[in-house]
Amino acid sequence: MAPMPVAAASKLYAKLVEVTGVTEKGEAALENLRKLDVQVIVDASARLINGGEQWMFVEDDEWFAEGTGKVTWDRIPELLGKCDIMHTLTPTTFTKAMTDTFGPEKASSILKAYNVTRTMDNNLFLTSAFRWIGDIIFDAPTHAFAIYLGTHTTKKVYRYIFDVRNPFPNHPLYQQAHHWVDIYFVFKAHQFRYPTENLKSISTKHAQLWIDFANGKAPWKEYRYSNGKEAVLMIADEREGWVERSVGKDEALNERSWDRAETLWEAWKEKNGNWFSPFKIEPLENAKTV
C-alpha cells in the first residue's frame, strides 16, 4: 500500500467534518471534532467506510527520506529495494555482528538455528534474516512468556498458530500468512469478501473460539510446555480449518519450530537485568528500514 496524498486526505477529512454535523472550518472544526462523543466519530467513520472510503496513512515529507519524491503504489518495489537493510545486512556482516555481540559459541548456535553461513545465497539469507527479525519481535517473547506461565505459575496456557493466508489480491501481502491477518478473520466483517466458503468457516470458528475464551471456557486443549513435542497447539490453516495438533507433528508438517526462539533466549541471558535491543548491531545501526 502507498500513502494517501495530502490533498486526498484533506477531502476525506472534509467529508468527516460534514458527516458529523460540524459546520466550522480549519482549526475550529478540529477543535469541535475533539469535543464530540467518540461514538459520533465512530458512526461517521462507519458511514464513510460503507460509502467506499478508506482511512489510510498520509504522505508526509518529514516521514519519508528527503528527495524520495512521490510515494505511489508503483514505486513500492523500488523504494523497498533502496532500504539500507537490503544492502548492509549480509551473511558476512550478520555473522560478525552475532559474534561480536554474543561471542563465538552463542553466535554459532544462532547461525546454526537460522541456517546462516558466510557463503550462502543472499536470497536465502534474507529469508533467514527476516525470520530472525520476526522471532525477535513476536515468537521469542511470546514463547518465553508461555514457558514462564507453564513452569512458574498455575495459570493455564492456550496456544494457537494462525496460518491462513491473506485473501485480498490488492494487498501487498496477498497469499502470505502475516502479522495482523488473523484480525481480518476474528471479526466477521470481511466475510463477504472471502472467495471460498472454507475461509468464511475459518472466520466464524475464530470468532466462536475467542468468545468461548472470553466467557471462561477452554477454547481447546491446554498447552503444557513440560510435555515437550507432545504439547498441544491449535492450528488454523486452509487445509484442515481449525485442528489441534502436537508441537512435534506441526514441526514435521510445516518445518517451523520454537527451537529458534529458545536459542535466541539462551543467547540473550548474559544481557539479563540490562537494557538490551537485539537490533542494536553494527550492520543496522544507521540503516533505514522504512
Side-chain angles (χ1 to χ4, degrees):
M1 295 178 67
M4 178 183 287
V6 173
S10 298
K11 289 180 180 179
L12 180 55
Y13 169 71
K15 287 184 179 181
L16 176 68
V17 173
E18 180 182 354
V19 170
T20 58
V22 172
T23 57
E24 290 78 7
K25 305 294 182 183
E27 287 295 323
L30 186 59
E31 187 62 30
N32 282 314
L33 283 175
R34 289 175 175 148
K35 294 176 182 178
L36 292 176
D37 185 88
V38 68
Q39 191 61 46
V40 175
I41 302 293
V42 171
D43 292 342
S45 178
R47 284 182 59 186
L48 292 173
I49 292 172
N50 290 336
E53 299 290 354
Q54 185 178 11
W55 294 112
M56 297 176 63
F57 49 101
V58 180
E59 194 169 44
D60 187 334
D61 291 338
E62 293 184 6
W63 189 48
F64 296 103
E66 184 178 352
T68 297
K70 286 289 183 183
V71 183
T72 52
W73 67 271
D74 53 299
R75 295 191 63 210
I76 297 301
E78 169 204 344
L79 294 172
L80 286 176
K82 290 180 178 178
C83 287
D84 289 348
I85 189 173
M86 298 292 185
H87 306 288
T88 61
L89 198 60
T90 67
T92 300
T93 60
F94 184 79
T95 299
K96 183 178 185 303
M98 293 300 102
T99 303
D100 291 347
T101 304
F102 302 109
E105 184 178 345
K106 296 288 177 62
S108 177
S109 65
I110 293 174
L111 296 173
K112 182 179 179 180
Y114 289 89
N115 298 314
V116 173
T117 65
R118 288 180 181 271
T119 58
M120 72 188 300
D121 174 81
N122 198 55
N123 183 62
L124 294 177
F125 168 70
L126 286 176
T127 299
S128 294
F130 284 121
R131 185 173 290 132
W132 169 74
I133 291 171
D135 286 347
I136 288 173
I137 298 172
F138 299 111
D139 283 358
T142 56
H143 185 58
F145 184 46
I147 293 174
Y148 182 85
L149 291 179
T151 56
H152 291 76
T153 77
T154 58
K155 298 182 186 297
K156 294 181 179 179
V157 178
Y158 302 95
R159 296 190 76 168
Y160 80 108
I161 296 175
F162 196 84
D163 198 21
V164 179
R165 296 172 297 170
N166 186 306
F168 306 126
N170 63 334
H171 194 286
L173 296 175
Y174 175 55
Q175 291 296 291
Q176 299 293 320
H178 59 84
H179 170 54
W180 181 263
V181 74
D182 57 314
I183 305 301
Y184 296 137
F185 286 84
V186 72
F187 300 108
K188 298 168 62 179
H190 291 288
Q191 281 195 7
F192 75 98
R193 300 188 66 202
Y194 295 156
T196 66
E197 290 300 317
N198 183 45
L199 291 178
K200 294 176 184 178
S201 297
I202 289 171
S203 173
T204 296
K205 183 66 174 178
H206 200 184
Q208 290 172 342
L209 290 168
W210 271 108
I211 290 170
D212 284 346
F213 180 72
N215 283 279
K217 299 178 183 178
W220 52 80
K221 191 171 182 179
E222 182 182 354
Y223 170 83
R224 297 180 182 274
Y225 176 73
S226 59
N227 288 349
K229 300 298 183 182
E230 296 303 313
V232 174
L233 312 164
M234 176 66 92
I235 310 293
D237 65 32
E238 294 161 59
R239 293 188 303 270
E240 300 178 78
W242 290 87
V243 60
E244 293 186 41
R245 190 180 293 153
S246 71
V247 169
K249 185 175 181 181
D250 182 65
E251 287 183 359
L253 286 173
N254 297 292
E255 298 186 20
R256 59 184 168 214
S257 171
W258 276 303
D259 291 347
R260 296 194 314 265
E262 294 189 15
T263 297
L264 288 180
W265 208 259
E266 181 63 30
W268 297 344
K269 277 186 176 179
E270 65 181 58
K271 309 292 185 180
N272 283 359
N274 300 303
W275 181 88
F276 166 64
S277 170
F279 293 121
K280 297 289 285 185
I281 58 176
E282 194 276 331
L284 299 181
E285 281 288 351
N286 298 307
K288 298 186 181 111
T289 56
V290 295

